[in-house]
Amino acid sequence: MIKSVAIVGAGVSGLTCAVVFAERGYRTAIFAGEIGQRTTSGAAAALWFPYDAEPADKVIAWALETYKVLVDLSCDARTGVSMIELHQFSRTNEIPIPDWAIPLGAQRLSSVATGLRPVSDRAQRGGHNLFRSAFTLSVPLMDTTIYLDYLANRFIKAGGEINPNVHFKKLEAVDPKFDLVINCAGIDARELVDDINLEPHRGQVAIVPKIDNLNCAIVCDDEPLMYAIPRRNDCVFGGTNEISDNLAVDPAATSTIVAECSRVLKIDNSRVLTERVGLRPFRKSGVRLERERLLDGRTVIHNYGHGGSGFTLSWGCAEKVLALVSLFGGASSGEPLN
């Protein structure tokens, strides 16, 4: 039977899995090259919404399970989770409300100008010309400057340990004292397990000062991708979604992001506090959530390839990982069980 668990990766998927296992009595440790704000998760806007992940049916099920957990966490401000009104826009088409969003209270915005919630009279004039259609939905928002620390502290309180600056070339290099290995390596799984289906979807954001009276999240997936996500102490402007593994900040992209977000909000270009780049781990064949056997006979459960939905799928996928362990008692198999 599984007694000790090693988790590779300290992003939101790794941390959430760690909390789930440690709080159920497993001896659990995280091993990662980067932790906290230095992870890809630290660069995320972290708004709950299924985005850039496949397959749709499983993604939606995991997302809805995560939604329930996050709604509960939003009752405690110390978690960094809050509920926010999302306004999802389209510049070109009549945007459909997803079937899964209707039971959550999604509604079409009858007036885009009203839906935009302009921050000044200047914003109201002409705002309705920016988009053709929109809908609104209340969703969880995770302030990564708070939430990642909350997860880490909750994990440590449950008896877990976090080991930074650890780089494995293969999963068999994990200390053999761990019965189970959980692979939450994100984009690093390309090399770690030689997964050619994994591709980096580069996202760049600009963190700007808090914007007065911006109380909702503005998102438009049409080109150019843009979002303005107000957090407790600042605001996240984005963004980009391109296939690239370049982690260097592109000043031209920052200028474009700030200009577009400021244009939509009808404000002067905001001052940039900092810029962040992250690589969304998109997997062309879909999220990998399955159980395998390592060469040394130990069990590994893969949990990566969440694309732009790492936070959105985190709790649902973590519970699925736990279910695989509970159901099969740690017995090894090469059969996918997703």
Side-chain angles (χ1 to χ4, degrees):
M1 297 296 292
I2 297 297
K3 295 182 179 179
S4 56
V5 180
I7 296 176
V8 179
V12 68
S13 295
L15 284 171
T16 307
C17 278
V19 168
V20 167
F21 276 81
E23 291 186 345
R24 285 163 175 79
Y26 291 90
R27 295 195 298 272
T28 310
I30 290 175
F31 299 90
E34 305 288 355
I35 63 173
Q37 295 303 307
R38 297 181 63 85
T39 63
T40 295
S41 295
L47 184 75
W48 183 94
F49 197 85
Y51 173 71
D52 203 27
E54 297 290 344
D57 56 343
K58 293 174 181 175
V59 163
I60 297 305
W62 293 327
L64 292 175
E65 188 172 350
T66 302
Y67 178 93
K68 296 175 184 177
V69 177
L70 295 175
V71 168
D72 289 341
L73 291 178
S74 71
C75 297
D76 184 351
R78 295 172 297 180
T79 66
V81 183
S82 61
M83 299 300 293
I84 191 169
E85 192 173 332
L86 163 64
H87 292 179
Q88 183 84 24
F89 291 91
S90 173
R91 295 183 181 91
T92 57
N93 302 308
E94 187 68 20
I95 188 169
I97 299 178
D99 291 341
W100 56 261
I102 296 174
L104 300 183
Q107 296 182 348
R108 188 164 302 284
L109 286 173
S110 57
S111 168
V112 176
T114 301
L116 190 57
R117 286 192 176 178
V119 298
S120 67
D121 291 339
R122 201 157 45 102
Q124 192 167 3
R125 292 195 296 272
H128 61 284
N129 293 322
L130 293 172
F131 301 101
R132 284 196 57 183
S133 64
F135 69 85
T136 182
L137 173 68
S138 180
V139 300
L141 169 65
M142 290 128 283
D143 187 330
T144 59
T145 65
I146 303 170
Y147 183 64
L148 294 176
D149 287 342
Y150 160 76
L151 289 177
N153 291 333
R154 181 169 162 180
F155 171 56
I156 292 170
K157 184 178 179 181
E161 63 179 58
I162 299 176
N163 301 277
N165 303 313
V166 178
H167 300 272
F168 295 120
K169 292 186 177 180
K170 57 182 180 178
L171 292 175
E172 283 81 3
V174 174
D175 193 316
K177 72 179 182 181
F178 293 98
D179 307 306
L180 171 68
V181 178
I182 302 175
N183 176 15
C184 297
I187 197 64
D188 289 338
R190 281 185 304 174
E191 287 74 33
L192 187 62
V193 295
D194 193 25
D195 190 338
I196 60 174
N197 286 310
L198 202 58
E199 63 183 23
H201 286 192
R202 182 182 182 277
Q204 181 167 321
V205 300
I207 311 300
V208 303
K210 194 172 179 66
I211 299 173
D212 292 340
N213 301 320
L214 179 63
N215 299 313
C216 63
I218 307 294
V219 177
C220 181
D221 290 336
D222 298 342
E223 289 294 335
L225 171 67
M226 71 78 54
Y227 47 87
I229 314 293
R231 303 194 298 194
R232 187 174 302 180
N233 300 310
D234 54 27
C235 185
V236 181
F237 279 1
T240 65
N241 189 9
E242 57 195 3
I243 300 176
S244 171
D245 58 5
N246 184 4
L247 284 168
V249 169
D250 179 0
T254 296
S255 297
T256 299
I257 289 167
V258 172
E260 177 64 12
C261 289
S262 299
R263 183 184 78 88
V264 168
L265 297 176
K266 296 294 182 181
I267 60 174
D268 294 333
N269 280 6
S270 295
R271 175 171 57 93
V272 176
L273 300 175
T274 188
E275 303 151 281
R276 295 294 308 275
V277 175
L279 305 180
R280 304 178 184 97
F282 177 79
R283 192 165 183 263
K284 290 177 284 186
S285 55
V287 173
R288 190 178 188 191
L289 212 173
E290 63 184 18
R291 175 177 132 272
E292 277 192 328
R293 179 166 48 186
L294 296 177
L295 294 176
D296 59 16
R298 285 181 294 169
T299 297
V300 58
I301 297 179
H302 301 286
N303 179 28
Y304 66 86
H306 306 99
S309 297
F311 285 85
T312 299
L313 305 181
S314 55
W315 289 97
C317 286
E319 291 293 343
K320 177 64 175 179
V321 171
L322 180 67
L324 289 178
V325 173
S326 301
L327 182 61
F328 293 92
S332 297
S333 169
E335 178 189 0
L337 293 169
N338 54 342

